[in-house]
Amino acid sequence: MATDLEEKKNHGTDYFPFECYGAQADTNRYVVYYHWHRQMEIICVNQGELVLMVEGETHVGYAGDIFFINPRQVHQLVLEKSNSSYFSFVFDLEWLDFKDEDYVQTTILNPLKKDLGFPLKVTSEQSCHKILLRDIQSIRQIYVMQPDSYRLMIKILLYKLLLLLESNQLFVPVRFTGTIVQSQTTIRIRELMDYIAGHYQEHISLEEGADIMHMSPKYFSSFFAKTFLISFTQYVNHYRIDQACILLKTTDLPIMDIAFETGFENFSYFIRKFREFKGSTPKEYRKERAPVAGESQAIVGGTGEEFRKIQSILGEL
């Protein structure tokens, strides 16, 4: 398991290990780079188009499509098109466990941590999609409004999701050896992502990437562009710019120092690439203290219309 790619942040609290996130692409490409976490994640495409890479394979989702990321699966999200958006839930499967080994615990919950997995994708072509989408949207609305007993409501709806998937036979068999078994290509992609994360402050050549993937430079260049929808050089530069954003947001380091700290050897090139990727200069970005690309924001707030929806959900539960 690639250790550098593990997402270390806490999702929720010990008493409520559940968090809701969301993101929207405006004029710029939005990326959550390859990572994995020990928690389950459910992703819903709100509008537009989402490109999801899971264990090195690329999948495209459109408005209403639902993706399930099993614990420890390495994945990356990209919103390429303007106004595309998604929201997601990250939660600990053990939070749903029962104290006693009853039928549900033994036949569904335990296997989900052993030899069963969630389906990668559910679309409108599947019969349960409409109800599944409605319940997922309800979870988001409840999380936003946080009425009395909202934690219990969310937990009940998560059990409803399990019921829908089980009754429609959508759980899939997986093989575990501590983690989901990966192909050699997937393992090498993890090694490559780890290498970039550990060496982005240094010069990284196409040949170095190709060597990690055990490919010729020409084939690696084509493979990377097809898999990540971006060239290797662009990916490294995106990663460096995102690290620069973190420093701009969290430190008072001079902008020139940040450029060199994140692996750019030419300050003018750094400014040009920053403007290209972020739509503003580093100085403007720091002044605005905009959210860091690749870091989904927890959803907060709500509207009167959402409150009325909560009332209707309460009536259904």
mmCIF file of all heavy atoms in Angstrom, residues 147-188:
data_model
loop_
_atom_site.group_PDB
_atom_site.id
_atom_site.type_symbol
_atom_site.label_atom_id
_atom_site.label_comp_id
_atom_site.label_asym_id
_atom_site.label_seq_id
_atom_site.Cartn_x
_atom_site.Cartn_y
_atom_site.Cartn_z
ATOM 1 N N PRO A 147 -30.936 19.228 11.248
ATOM 2 C CA PRO A 147 -32.055 19.325 12.198
ATOM 3 C C PRO A 147 -31.790 18.428 13.404
ATOM 4 O O PRO A 147 -30.797 17.697 13.451
ATOM 5 C CB PRO A 147 -33.237 18.803 11.376
ATOM 6 C CG PRO A 147 -32.610 17.846 10.412
ATOM 7 C CD PRO A 147 -31.277 18.448 10.064
ATOM 8 N N ASP A 148 -32.681 18.463 14.382
ATOM 9 C CA ASP A 148 -32.534 17.588 15.538
ATOM 10 C C ASP A 148 -32.448 16.135 15.073
ATOM 11 O O ASP A 148 -33.156 15.713 14.156
ATOM 12 C CB ASP A 148 -33.732 17.750 16.483
ATOM 13 C CG ASP A 148 -33.740 19.115 17.157
ATOM 14 O OD1 ASP A 148 -32.683 19.773 17.167
ATOM 15 O OD2 ASP A 148 -34.806 19.518 17.652
ATOM 16 N N SER A 149 -31.557 15.384 15.679
ATOM 17 C CA SER A 149 -31.381 13.961 15.373
ATOM 18 C C SER A 149 -30.890 13.706 13.947
ATOM 19 O O SER A 149 -31.110 12.636 13.383
ATOM 20 C CB SER A 149 -32.687 13.183 15.611
ATOM 21 O OG SER A 149 -33.130 13.332 16.944
ATOM 22 N N TYR A 150 -30.178 14.693 13.362
ATOM 23 C CA TYR A 150 -29.727 14.528 11.975
ATOM 24 C C TYR A 150 -28.751 13.358 11.828
ATOM 25 O O TYR A 150 -28.717 12.702 10.798
ATOM 26 C CB TYR A 150 -29.120 15.825 11.443
ATOM 27 C CG TYR A 150 -27.735 16.146 11.936
ATOM 28 C CD1 TYR A 150 -26.612 15.778 11.207
ATOM 29 C CD2 TYR A 150 -27.546 16.848 13.131
ATOM 30 C CE1 TYR A 150 -25.336 16.080 11.655
ATOM 31 C CE2 TYR A 150 -26.281 17.155 13.579
ATOM 32 C CZ TYR A 150 -25.175 16.776 12.847
ATOM 33 O OH TYR A 150 -23.916 17.081 13.299
ATOM 34 N N ARG A 151 -27.974 13.089 12.885
ATOM 35 C CA ARG A 151 -27.027 11.971 12.807
ATOM 36 C C ARG A 151 -27.758 10.641 12.654
ATOM 37 O O ARG A 151 -27.350 9.769 11.873
ATOM 38 C CB ARG A 151 -26.134 11.953 14.054
ATOM 39 C CG ARG A 151 -25.263 13.201 14.211
ATOM 40 C CD ARG A 151 -24.527 13.172 15.541
ATOM 41 N NE ARG A 151 -23.745 14.375 15.786
ATOM 42 C CZ ARG A 151 -24.251 15.503 16.294
ATOM 43 N NH1 ARG A 151 -25.547 15.565 16.613
ATOM 44 N NH2 ARG A 151 -23.477 16.542 16.485
ATOM 45 N N LEU A 152 -28.837 10.499 13.409
ATOM 46 C CA LEU A 152 -29.642 9.275 13.320
ATOM 47 C C LEU A 152 -30.300 9.164 11.951
ATOM 48 O O LEU A 152 -30.340 8.086 11.357
ATOM 49 C CB LEU A 152 -30.695 9.250 14.425
ATOM 50 C CG LEU A 152 -31.639 8.040 14.448
ATOM 51 C CD1 LEU A 152 -30.852 6.736 14.566
ATOM 52 C CD2 LEU A 152 -32.643 8.174 15.592
ATOM 53 N N MET A 153 -30.811 10.288 11.436
ATOM 54 C CA MET A 153 -31.438 10.275 10.106
ATOM 55 C C MET A 153 -30.445 9.813 9.043
ATOM 56 O O MET A 153 -30.774 9.006 8.173
ATOM 57 C CB MET A 153 -31.946 11.677 9.747
ATOM 58 C CG MET A 153 -33.077 12.197 10.576
ATOM 59 S SD MET A 153 -33.532 13.840 9.965
ATOM 60 C CE MET A 153 -34.136 14.568 11.479
ATOM 61 N N ILE A 154 -29.223 10.360 9.107
ATOM 62 C CA ILE A 154 -28.210 9.999 8.116
ATOM 63 C C ILE A 154 -27.873 8.520 8.215
ATOM 64 O O ILE A 154 -27.763 7.816 7.202
ATOM 65 C CB ILE A 154 -26.952 10.870 8.295
ATOM 66 C CG1 ILE A 154 -27.245 12.299 7.828
ATOM 67 C CG2 ILE A 154 -25.763 10.296 7.523
ATOM 68 C CD1 ILE A 154 -26.126 13.291 8.085
ATOM 69 N N LYS A 155 -27.757 8.021 9.431
ATOM 70 C CA LYS A 155 -27.422 6.610 9.613
ATOM 71 C C LYS A 155 -28.532 5.717 9.074
ATOM 72 O O LYS A 155 -28.283 4.696 8.418
ATOM 73 C CB LYS A 155 -27.174 6.316 11.094
ATOM 74 C CG LYS A 155 -26.371 5.048 11.343
ATOM 75 C CD LYS A 155 -25.835 5.007 12.767
ATOM 76 C CE LYS A 155 -24.870 3.848 12.950
ATOM 77 N NZ LYS A 155 -24.279 3.814 14.303
ATOM 78 N N ILE A 156 -29.783 6.105 9.313
ATOM 79 C CA ILE A 156 -30.918 5.340 8.802
ATOM 80 C C ILE A 156 -30.891 5.300 7.273
ATOM 81 O O ILE A 156 -31.105 4.254 6.645
ATOM 82 C CB ILE A 156 -32.245 5.933 9.301
ATOM 83 C CG1 ILE A 156 -32.414 5.668 10.810
ATOM 84 C CG2 ILE A 156 -33.441 5.352 8.537
ATOM 85 C CD1 ILE A 156 -33.577 6.398 11.433
ATOM 86 N N LEU A 157 -30.605 6.440 6.662
ATOM 87 C CA LEU A 157 -30.582 6.500 5.200
ATOM 88 C C LEU A 157 -29.415 5.692 4.631
ATOM 89 O O LEU A 157 -29.531 5.106 3.548
ATOM 90 C CB LEU A 157 -30.515 7.953 4.727
ATOM 91 C CG LEU A 157 -31.837 8.726 4.834
ATOM 92 C CD1 LEU A 157 -31.624 10.207 4.593
ATOM 93 C CD2 LEU A 157 -32.870 8.178 3.849
ATOM 94 N N LEU A 158 -28.304 5.642 5.334
ATOM 95 C CA LEU A 158 -27.191 4.805 4.876
ATOM 96 C C LEU A 158 -27.576 3.327 4.917
ATOM 97 O O LEU A 158 -27.224 2.561 4.013
ATOM 98 C CB LEU A 158 -25.946 5.053 5.733
ATOM 99 C CG LEU A 158 -25.239 6.389 5.501
ATOM 100 C CD1 LEU A 158 -24.097 6.571 6.493
ATOM 101 C CD2 LEU A 158 -24.711 6.504 4.076
ATOM 102 N N TYR A 159 -28.326 2.937 5.927
ATOM 103 C CA TYR A 159 -28.821 1.554 5.973
ATOM 104 C C TYR A 159 -29.791 1.305 4.811
ATOM 105 O O TYR A 159 -29.818 0.217 4.234
ATOM 106 C CB TYR A 159 -29.518 1.267 7.293
ATOM 107 C CG TYR A 159 -28.582 1.034 8.449
ATOM 108 C CD1 TYR A 159 -28.679 1.780 9.619
ATOM 109 C CD2 TYR A 159 -27.576 0.070 8.383
ATOM 110 C CE1 TYR A 159 -27.815 1.576 10.684
ATOM 111 C CE2 TYR A 159 -26.708 -0.136 9.439
ATOM 112 C CZ TYR A 159 -26.832 0.623 10.591
ATOM 113 O OH TYR A 159 -25.970 0.408 11.632
ATOM 114 N N LYS A 160 -30.563 2.331 4.444
ATOM 115 C CA LYS A 160 -31.462 2.194 3.300
ATOM 116 C C LYS A 160 -30.675 1.974 2.004
ATOM 117 O O LYS A 160 -31.086 1.199 1.140
ATOM 118 C CB LYS A 160 -32.354 3.425 3.162
ATOM 119 C CG LYS A 160 -33.524 3.487 4.136
ATOM 120 C CD LYS A 160 -34.454 4.647 3.816
ATOM 121 C CE LYS A 160 -35.178 4.449 2.505
ATOM 122 N NZ LYS A 160 -36.091 5.569 2.165
ATOM 123 N N LEU A 161 -29.530 2.665 1.900
ATOM 124 C CA LEU A 161 -28.685 2.461 0.724
ATOM 125 C C LEU A 161 -28.186 1.026 0.660
ATOM 126 O O LEU A 161 -28.175 0.402 -0.411
ATOM 127 C CB LEU A 161 -27.484 3.417 0.750
ATOM 128 C CG LEU A 161 -27.746 4.924 0.706
ATOM 129 C CD1 LEU A 161 -26.431 5.675 0.546
ATOM 130 C CD2 LEU A 161 -28.708 5.297 -0.405
ATOM 131 N N LEU A 162 -27.776 0.500 1.807
ATOM 132 C CA LEU A 162 -27.338 -0.893 1.851
ATOM 133 C C LEU A 162 -28.462 -1.829 1.426
ATOM 134 O O LEU A 162 -28.242 -2.794 0.688
ATOM 135 C CB LEU A 162 -26.868 -1.264 3.262
ATOM 136 C CG LEU A 162 -25.612 -0.572 3.797
ATOM 137 C CD1 LEU A 162 -25.298 -1.092 5.199
ATOM 138 C CD2 LEU A 162 -24.429 -0.784 2.877
ATOM 139 N N LEU A 163 -29.672 -1.543 1.882
ATOM 140 C CA LEU A 163 -30.835 -2.363 1.529
ATOM 141 C C LEU A 163 -31.086 -2.334 0.026
ATOM 142 O O LEU A 163 -31.324 -3.379 -0.601
ATOM 143 C CB LEU A 163 -32.068 -1.866 2.283
ATOM 144 C CG LEU A 163 -33.414 -2.507 1.910
ATOM 145 C CD1 LEU A 163 -33.384 -4.010 2.179
ATOM 146 C CD2 LEU A 163 -34.554 -1.853 2.672
ATOM 147 N N LEU A 164 -31.019 -1.149 -0.561
ATOM 148 C CA LEU A 164 -31.239 -1.027 -2.008
ATOM 149 C C LEU A 164 -30.193 -1.809 -2.799
ATOM 150 O O LEU A 164 -30.512 -2.521 -3.749
ATOM 151 C CB LEU A 164 -31.205 0.445 -2.420
ATOM 152 C CG LEU A 164 -32.476 1.262 -2.198
ATOM 153 C CD1 LEU A 164 -32.190 2.739 -2.421
ATOM 154 C CD2 LEU A 164 -33.580 0.787 -3.136
ATOM 155 N N LEU A 165 -28.938 -1.665 -2.413
ATOM 156 C CA LEU A 165 -27.871 -2.354 -3.127
ATOM 157 C C LEU A 165 -27.972 -3.866 -2.951
ATOM 158 O O LEU A 165 -27.780 -4.631 -3.909
ATOM 159 C CB LEU A 165 -26.513 -1.856 -2.646
ATOM 160 C CG LEU A 165 -26.198 -0.377 -2.931
ATOM 161 C CD1 LEU A 165 -24.905 0.038 -2.244
ATOM 162 C CD2 LEU A 165 -26.107 -0.105 -4.427
ATOM 163 N N GLU A 166 -28.305 -4.305 -1.744
ATOM 164 C CA GLU A 166 -28.428 -5.731 -1.475
ATOM 165 C C GLU A 166 -29.619 -6.336 -2.208
ATOM 166 O O GLU A 166 -29.505 -7.390 -2.855
ATOM 167 C CB GLU A 166 -28.572 -5.956 0.038
ATOM 168 C CG GLU A 166 -29.015 -7.348 0.448
ATOM 169 C CD GLU A 166 -27.973 -8.415 0.170
ATOM 170 O OE1 GLU A 166 -26.818 -8.072 -0.126
ATOM 171 O OE2 GLU A 166 -28.325 -9.611 0.252
ATOM 172 N N SER A 167 -30.780 -5.676 -2.143
ATOM 173 C CA SER A 167 -31.983 -6.229 -2.772
ATOM 174 C C SER A 167 -31.893 -6.228 -4.290
ATOM 175 O O SER A 167 -32.568 -7.009 -4.961
ATOM 176 C CB SER A 167 -33.221 -5.439 -2.320
ATOM 177 O OG SER A 167 -33.104 -4.073 -2.675
ATOM 178 N N ASN A 168 -31.027 -5.354 -4.845
ATOM 179 C CA ASN A 168 -30.824 -5.335 -6.297
ATOM 180 C C ASN A 168 -29.566 -6.083 -6.720
ATOM 181 O O ASN A 168 -29.146 -5.992 -7.871
ATOM 182 C CB ASN A 168 -30.764 -3.883 -6.797
ATOM 183 C CG ASN A 168 -32.128 -3.213 -6.828
ATOM 184 O OD1 ASN A 168 -32.854 -3.321 -7.808
ATOM 185 N ND2 ASN A 168 -32.476 -2.545 -5.736
ATOM 186 N N GLN A 169 -28.973 -6.793 -5.751
ATOM 187 C CA GLN A 169 -27.809 -7.645 -6.003
ATOM 188 C C GLN A 169 -26.665 -6.871 -6.678
ATOM 189 O O GLN A 169 -26.055 -7.336 -7.640
ATOM 190 C CB GLN A 169 -28.204 -8.857 -6.852
ATOM 191 C CG GLN A 169 -29.262 -9.735 -6.177
ATOM 192 C CD GLN A 169 -29.639 -10.940 -7.015
ATOM 193 O OE1 GLN A 169 -29.635 -10.892 -8.250
ATOM 194 N NE2 GLN A 169 -29.951 -12.036 -6.346
ATOM 195 N N LEU A 170 -26.380 -5.692 -6.137
ATOM 196 C CA LEU A 170 -25.363 -4.837 -6.739
ATOM 197 C C LEU A 170 -24.011 -4.904 -6.032
ATOM 198 O O LEU A 170 -23.025 -4.350 -6.535
ATOM 199 C CB LEU A 170 -25.848 -3.379 -6.779
ATOM 200 C CG LEU A 170 -26.980 -3.105 -7.784
ATOM 201 C CD1 LEU A 170 -27.412 -1.650 -7.708
ATOM 202 C CD2 LEU A 170 -26.549 -3.459 -9.197
ATOM 203 N N PHE A 171 -23.945 -5.558 -4.888
ATOM 204 C CA PHE A 171 -22.638 -5.738 -4.265
ATOM 205 C C PHE A 171 -21.800 -6.673 -5.134
ATOM 206 O O PHE A 171 -22.324 -7.607 -5.744
ATOM 207 C CB PHE A 171 -22.776 -6.303 -2.851
ATOM 208 C CG PHE A 171 -23.308 -5.310 -1.854
ATOM 209 C CD1 PHE A 171 -24.486 -5.550 -1.172
ATOM 210 C CD2 PHE A 171 -22.629 -4.129 -1.605
ATOM 211 C CE1 PHE A 171 -24.986 -4.637 -0.262
ATOM 212 C CE2 PHE A 171 -23.112 -3.196 -0.691
ATOM 213 C CZ PHE A 171 -24.293 -3.454 -0.021
ATOM 214 N N VAL A 172 -20.514 -6.417 -5.202
ATOM 215 C CA VAL A 172 -19.636 -7.192 -6.087
ATOM 216 C C VAL A 172 -18.578 -7.928 -5.274
ATOM 217 O O VAL A 172 -18.120 -7.428 -4.238
ATOM 218 C CB VAL A 172 -18.958 -6.280 -7.133
ATOM 219 C CG1 VAL A 172 -19.988 -5.656 -8.050
ATOM 220 C CG2 VAL A 172 -18.143 -5.190 -6.445
ATOM 221 N N PRO A 173 -18.181 -9.107 -5.720
ATOM 222 C CA PRO A 173 -17.121 -9.835 -5.006
ATOM 223 C C PRO A 173 -15.767 -9.190 -5.246
ATOM 224 O O PRO A 173 -15.458 -8.758 -6.361
ATOM 225 C CB PRO A 173 -17.188 -11.238 -5.616
ATOM 226 C CG PRO A 173 -17.779 -11.027 -6.975
ATOM 227 C CD PRO A 173 -18.728 -9.877 -6.844
ATOM 228 N N VAL A 174 -14.991 -9.076 -4.205
ATOM 229 C CA VAL A 174 -13.617 -8.579 -4.331
ATOM 230 C C VAL A 174 -12.716 -9.502 -3.538
ATOM 231 O O VAL A 174 -13.160 -10.215 -2.643
ATOM 232 C CB VAL A 174 -13.470 -7.130 -3.804
ATOM 233 C CG1 VAL A 174 -14.234 -6.162 -4.666
ATOM 234 C CG2 VAL A 174 -13.926 -7.039 -2.352
ATOM 235 N N ARG A 175 -11.429 -9.476 -3.879
ATOM 236 C CA ARG A 175 -10.458 -10.297 -3.169
ATOM 237 C C ARG A 175 -9.583 -9.400 -2.324
ATOM 238 O O ARG A 175 -9.036 -8.423 -2.800
ATOM 239 C CB ARG A 175 -9.585 -11.078 -4.164
ATOM 240 C CG ARG A 175 -10.355 -12.115 -4.970
ATOM 241 C CD ARG A 175 -9.446 -12.710 -6.018
ATOM 242 N NE ARG A 175 -9.008 -11.692 -6.973
ATOM 243 C CZ ARG A 175 -7.848 -11.739 -7.622
ATOM 244 N NH1 ARG A 175 -7.004 -12.719 -7.400
ATOM 245 N NH2 ARG A 175 -7.532 -10.796 -8.476
ATOM 246 N N PHE A 176 -9.505 -9.718 -1.055
ATOM 247 C CA PHE A 176 -8.711 -8.913 -0.143
ATOM 248 C C PHE A 176 -7.488 -9.677 0.345
ATOM 249 O O PHE A 176 -7.563 -10.860 0.652
ATOM 250 C CB PHE A 176 -9.534 -8.516 1.090
ATOM 251 C CG PHE A 176 -10.438 -7.341 0.851
ATOM 252 C CD1 PHE A 176 -11.677 -7.517 0.253
ATOM 253 C CD2 PHE A 176 -10.055 -6.072 1.218
ATOM 254 C CE1 PHE A 176 -12.513 -6.437 0.036
ATOM 255 C CE2 PHE A 176 -10.890 -4.991 1.011
ATOM 256 C CZ PHE A 176 -12.117 -5.173 0.415
ATOM 257 N N THR A 177 -6.356 -8.978 0.414
ATOM 258 C CA THR A 177 -5.187 -9.511 1.119
ATOM 259 C C THR A 177 -4.686 -8.342 1.958
ATOM 260 O O THR A 177 -3.591 -7.830 1.763
ATOM 261 C CB THR A 177 -4.082 -9.951 0.131
ATOM 262 O OG1 THR A 177 -3.780 -8.836 -0.729
ATOM 263 C CG2 THR A 177 -4.532 -11.116 -0.704
ATOM 264 N N GLY A 178 -5.567 -7.894 2.843
ATOM 265 C CA GLY A 178 -5.267 -6.683 3.602
ATOM 266 C C GLY A 178 -5.775 -5.464 2.860
ATOM 267 O O GLY A 178 -6.260 -4.524 3.427
ATOM 268 N N THR A 179 -5.706 -5.487 1.515
ATOM 269 C CA THR A 179 -6.283 -4.437 0.683
ATOM 270 C C THR A 179 -6.806 -5.137 -0.565
ATOM 271 O O THR A 179 -6.600 -6.317 -0.771
ATOM 272 C CB THR A 179 -5.226 -3.387 0.245
ATOM 273 O OG1 THR A 179 -4.533 -3.883 -0.892
ATOM 274 C CG2 THR A 179 -4.230 -3.110 1.331
ATOM 275 N N ILE A 180 -7.487 -4.391 -1.401
ATOM 276 C CA ILE A 180 -7.970 -4.959 -2.655
ATOM 277 C C ILE A 180 -6.773 -5.284 -3.541
ATOM 278 O O ILE A 180 -5.831 -4.504 -3.654
ATOM 279 C CB ILE A 180 -8.916 -3.978 -3.363
ATOM 280 C CG1 ILE A 180 -10.154 -3.742 -2.486
ATOM 281 C CG2 ILE A 180 -9.328 -4.474 -4.728
ATOM 282 C CD1 ILE A 180 -11.093 -2.701 -3.026
ATOM 283 N N VAL A 181 -6.795 -6.448 -4.158
ATOM 284 C CA VAL A 181 -5.675 -6.868 -5.008
ATOM 285 C C VAL A 181 -5.583 -5.974 -6.238
ATOM 286 O O VAL A 181 -6.581 -5.706 -6.891
ATOM 287 C CB VAL A 181 -5.855 -8.337 -5.431
ATOM 288 C CG1 VAL A 181 -4.765 -8.742 -6.431
ATOM 289 C CG2 VAL A 181 -5.814 -9.247 -4.215
ATOM 290 N N GLN A 182 -4.363 -5.492 -6.534
ATOM 291 C CA GLN A 182 -4.181 -4.637 -7.699
ATOM 292 C C GLN A 182 -3.282 -5.287 -8.739
ATOM 293 O O GLN A 182 -2.481 -6.152 -8.428
ATOM 294 C CB GLN A 182 -3.540 -3.300 -7.281
ATOM 295 C CG GLN A 182 -4.416 -2.430 -6.410
ATOM 296 C CD GLN A 182 -4.084 -2.647 -4.959
ATOM 297 O OE1 GLN A 182 -2.964 -2.947 -4.613
ATOM 298 N NE2 GLN A 182 -5.078 -2.487 -4.115
ATOM 299 N N SER A 183 -3.411 -4.817 -9.959
ATOM 300 C CA SER A 183 -2.530 -5.268 -11.027
ATOM 301 C C SER A 183 -1.166 -4.611 -10.852
ATOM 302 O O SER A 183 -0.996 -3.655 -10.100
ATOM 303 C CB SER A 183 -3.120 -4.868 -12.382
ATOM 304 O OG SER A 183 -3.094 -3.457 -12.528
ATOM 305 N N GLN A 184 -0.178 -5.110 -11.595
ATOM 306 C CA GLN A 184 1.152 -4.514 -11.560
ATOM 307 C C GLN A 184 1.118 -3.065 -12.032
ATOM 308 O O GLN A 184 1.839 -2.216 -11.506
ATOM 309 C CB GLN A 184 2.112 -5.339 -12.428
ATOM 310 C CG GLN A 184 2.584 -6.623 -11.783
ATOM 311 C CD GLN A 184 3.327 -6.363 -10.484
ATOM 312 O OE1 GLN A 184 4.233 -5.542 -10.426
ATOM 313 N NE2 GLN A 184 2.933 -7.075 -9.431
ATOM 314 N N THR A 185 0.269 -2.783 -13.019
ATOM 315 C CA THR A 185 0.164 -1.404 -13.511
ATOM 316 C C THR A 185 -0.344 -0.484 -12.421
ATOM 317 O O THR A 185 0.174 0.625 -12.220
ATOM 318 C CB THR A 185 -0.780 -1.340 -14.730
ATOM 319 O OG1 THR A 185 -0.258 -2.146 -15.776
ATOM 320 C CG2 THR A 185 -0.923 0.097 -15.222
ATOM 321 N N THR A 186 -1.364 -0.931 -11.669
ATOM 322 C CA THR A 186 -1.902 -0.127 -10.575
ATOM 323 C C THR A 186 -0.852 0.121 -9.506
ATOM 324 O O THR A 186 -0.707 1.241 -9.004
ATOM 325 C CB THR A 186 -3.123 -0.834 -9.954
ATOM 326 O OG1 THR A 186 -4.137 -0.963 -10.937
ATOM 327 C CG2 THR A 186 -3.665 -0.037 -8.779
ATOM 328 N N ILE A 187 -0.113 -0.910 -9.163
ATOM 329 C CA ILE A 187 0.940 -0.776 -8.145
ATOM 330 C C ILE A 187 1.984 0.242 -8.598
ATOM 331 O O ILE A 187 2.437 1.086 -7.816
ATOM 332 C CB ILE A 187 1.586 -2.143 -7.864
ATOM 333 C CG1 ILE A 187 0.576 -3.063 -7.168
ATOM 334 C CG2 ILE A 187 2.843 -1.979 -7.012
ATOM 335 C CD1 ILE A 187 1.031 -4.500 -7.058
ATOM 336 N N ARG A 188 2.339 0.183 -9.876
ATOM 337 C CA ARG A 188 3.355 1.119 -10.377
ATOM 338 C C ARG A 188 2.827 2.548 -10.455
ATOM 339 O O ARG A 188 3.581 3.511 -10.260
ATOM 340 C CB ARG A 188 3.855 0.643 -11.744
ATOM 341 C CG ARG A 188 4.739 -0.595 -11.626
ATOM 342 C CD ARG A 188 5.020 -1.234 -12.960
ATOM 343 N NE ARG A 188 5.762 -2.480 -12.790
ATOM 344 C CZ ARG A 188 5.835 -3.433 -13.716
ATOM 345 N NH1 ARG A 188 5.209 -3.257 -14.887
ATOM 346 N NH2 ARG A 188 6.522 -4.538 -13.479
#
